[in-house]
């Protein structure tokens, strides 16, 4: 049976690259819908950006749904300093012709999963986990319908990228993350430990520039602007491609090394809000609720990215 996906995102430049990885037509999976949450910027802008990117990629056949405009409990924190005021610094922002679906993203997730067979749909969240958590709160039975959740979030050895100990997606809505990590759904988690191994270096950008189609050109421009902030912050040649690790795993899981771990999320502490306690060395006997990615074949990752971008046009 063809794998069935729901992509939940908050575009965001690295979300854009993740969508470009996902959107080439394939027999390997079917994208049932794209759901959008507030995160890198406001919901008004993330839902527009998702439609804009699908138009650019020629995939106006995939329905897009807007979901939660704020986390479960905390005020929304955004990342315009990284992604630009519109969330997609580097490309021209226009109002898409592609329509936004009238149904709320949370209800779409619930209805789609309840109509599916058990363990048949994979969720791919690359932003705060608010939409997924609200769906689980509203209809706990959907957990049985999910094959797995392949998500970007968290950090262990790399520390945090928004606070000393927290990665952005988990920090924005730690209560939602806690619900997802305690849901019992099989999880595959791509945190900063692995995403910081895939940098949009000058050599990578040159490969993308040389592809020569409109989607690759957009990817090149997005990553050129995206790289400026992180290169200065981390002192690296290029920026980490966080979100694209999720679809790279869907497409080619063998390029990643993973380990079954227990992961818990700090929800309340002012000091460590959003911290992911990854029990990598089994210091506790808590159940191993996730597979944690900690290594990647970096050349293989970028070969895959170039291959996918080359399919457009």
């Amino acid at each position: 049976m063809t794998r069935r996906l729901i992509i939940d995102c908050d575009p965001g430049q690295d979300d854009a690259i993740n969508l470009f990885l996902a959107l080439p037509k394939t027999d390997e999976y079917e994208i049932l819908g794209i759901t959008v949450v507030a995160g890198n910027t406001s919901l008004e802008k993330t839902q527009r950006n998702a439609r804009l990117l699908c138009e650019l990629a020629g995939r106006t056949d995939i329905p897009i749904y807007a979901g939660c405009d704020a986390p479960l409990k905390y005020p929304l924190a955004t990342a315009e300093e990284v992604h630009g005021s519109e969330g997609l610094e580097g490309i021209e922002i226009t109002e898409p012709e592609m329509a936004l679906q009238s149904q709320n993203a949370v209800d779409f997730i619930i209805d789609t999963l309840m109509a599916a067979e058990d363990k048949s749909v994979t969720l791919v969240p690359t932003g705060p986990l608010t939409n997924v958590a609200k769906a689980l709160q509203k209809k706990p039975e959907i957990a049985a319908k999910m094959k797995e959740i392949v998500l970007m979030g968290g950090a262990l050895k790399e520390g945090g990228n928004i606070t000393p100990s927290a990665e952005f997606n988990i920090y924005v809505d730690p209560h939602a993350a806690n619900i997802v990590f305690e849901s019992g759904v099989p999880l595959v988690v791509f945190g900063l430990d692995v995403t910081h191994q895939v940098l949009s270096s000058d050599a990578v950008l040159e490969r993308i520039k040389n592809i020569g189609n409109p989607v690759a050109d957009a990817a090149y421009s997005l990553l050129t602007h995206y790289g400026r902030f992180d290169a200065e912050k981390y002192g690296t040649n290029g920026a980490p491609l966080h979100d694209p690790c999720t679809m790279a795993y869907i497409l080619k899981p063998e390029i990643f090394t993973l380990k079954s771990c227990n992961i818990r999320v700090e929800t309340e502490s002012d000091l460590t809000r959003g911290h992911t306690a990854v029990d990598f060395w089994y210091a506790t006997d808590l159940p191993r609720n996730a597979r944690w990615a900690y290594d990647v074949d970096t050349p293989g990752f970028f070969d895959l990215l170039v291959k996918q971008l080359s399919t457009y046009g």
Side-chain angles (χ1 to χ4, degrees), residues 9-83:
C9 56
D10 61 336
Q13 291 146 321
D14 57 331
D15 295 87
I17 305 305
N18 194 53
L19 288 174
F20 291 160
L21 268 173
L23 292 174
K25 291 187 176 181
T26 176
D27 294 330
E28 293 184 38
Y29 54 79
E30 176 188 4
I31 301 173
L32 303 176
I34 295 171
T35 55
V36 185
V37 69
N40 284 322
T41 187
S42 67
L43 182 66
E44 178 185 5
K45 293 179 179 180
T46 57
Q47 59 85 6
R48 176 207 61 200
N49 291 349
R51 292 184 290 133
L52 183 64
L53 293 164
C54 282
E55 278 191 354
L56 181 60
R59 293 304 307 271
T60 57
D61 57 306
I62 300 174
I64 297 177
Y65 303 83
C68 300
D69 62 2
L72 296 181
K73 294 187 179 181
Y74 289 119
L76 177 65
T78 58
E80 282 93 348
E81 71 279 6
V82 179
H83 299 277

Side-chain angles (χ1 to χ4, degrees), residues 3 122-125 148-152 186 188 190 246 249-250:
R3 190 167 191 172
T122 297
L123 270 59
V124 187
E148 61 186 356
I149 298 175
V150 178
L151 69 94
M152 191 277 134
V188 185
F190 295 87
T246 59
Y249 171 79
I250 297 290

Side-chain angles (χ1 to χ4, degrees), residues 16 36 51 54 58 65 73 107 134 159 166-167 175 181 195-196 219 223 228-229 235-236 253 277 286 288 300 304:
V36 185
R51 292 184 290 133
C54 282
Y65 303 83
K73 294 187 179 181
D107 294 328
K134 275 207 168 180
E167 179 276 327
H175 296 93
F181 277 90
T195 69
H196 280 204
L223 290 176
R228 292 172 183 169
F229 178 87
T236 56
L286 292 169
R288 298 170 191 176
L304 176 63

Side-chain angles (χ1 to χ4, degrees), residues 228-244:
R228 292 172 183 169
F229 178 87
D230 279 348
E232 182 177 347
K233 178 177 180 177
Y234 297 113
T236 56
N237 181 359
L241 296 189
H242 307 290
D243 297 340

Side-chain angles (χ1 to χ4, degrees), residues 41-237:
T41 187
S42 67
L43 182 66
E44 178 185 5
K45 293 179 179 180
T46 57
Q47 59 85 6
R48 176 207 61 200
N49 291 349
R51 292 184 290 133
L52 183 64
L53 293 164
C54 282
E55 278 191 354
L56 181 60
R59 293 304 307 271
T60 57
D61 57 306
I62 300 174
I64 297 177
Y65 303 83
C68 300
D69 62 2
L72 296 181
K73 294 187 179 181
Y74 289 119
L76 177 65
T78 58
E80 282 93 348
E81 71 279 6
V82 179
H83 299 277
S85 61
E86 299 299 321
L88 291 178
E89 184 180 12
I91 63 172
E92 182 182 2
I93 303 298
T94 58
E95 183 59 31
E97 295 182 11
M98 182 181 180
L100 181 70
Q101 300 297 308
S102 59
Q103 187 179 29
N104 183 273
V106 173
D107 294 328
F108 165 74
I109 292 171
I110 291 170
D111 290 350
T112 302
L113 289 172
M114 291 306 296
E117 297 178 5
D118 286 357
K119 301 184 184 302
S120 65
V121 179
T122 297
L123 270 59
V124 187
T126 58
L129 290 163
T130 319
N131 286 342
V132 180
K134 275 207 168 180
L136 284 164
Q137 283 182 318
K138 192 171 181 179
K139 196 76 170 178
E141 298 94 320
I142 64 173
K145 305 292 186 175
M146 299 184 205
K147 176 181 174 67
E148 61 186 356
I149 298 175
V150 178
L151 69 94
M152 191 277 134
L156 175 59
K157 298 176 183 178
E158 284 290 306
N161 63 354
I162 187 168
T163 71
S165 64
E167 179 276 327
F168 176 80
N169 286 341
I170 308 299
Y171 173 86
V172 171
D173 199 343
H175 296 93
N178 187 56
I179 289 168
V180 170
F181 277 90
E182 293 188 351
S183 67
V185 177
L187 305 176
V188 185
V189 184
F190 295 87
L192 302 185
D193 291 36
V194 72
T195 69
H196 280 204
Q197 298 176 44
V198 285
L199 302 177
S200 56
S201 66
D202 293 341
V204 167
L205 291 177
E206 189 66 21
R207 291 181 70 186
I208 293 172
K209 183 180 181 181
N210 289 336
I211 293 170
N213 66 51
V215 175
D217 291 346
Y220 171 78
S221 187
L222 286 164
L223 290 176
T224 299
H225 286 81
Y226 175 64
R228 292 172 183 169
F229 178 87
D230 279 348
E232 182 177 347
K233 178 177 180 177
Y234 297 113
T236 56
N237 181 359

Side-chain angles (χ1 to χ4, degrees), residues 266-277:
E266 174 57 55
T267 58
E268 305 300 336
S269 167
D270 290 338
L271 178 63
T272 58
R273 162 187 162 184
H275 171 70
T276 43

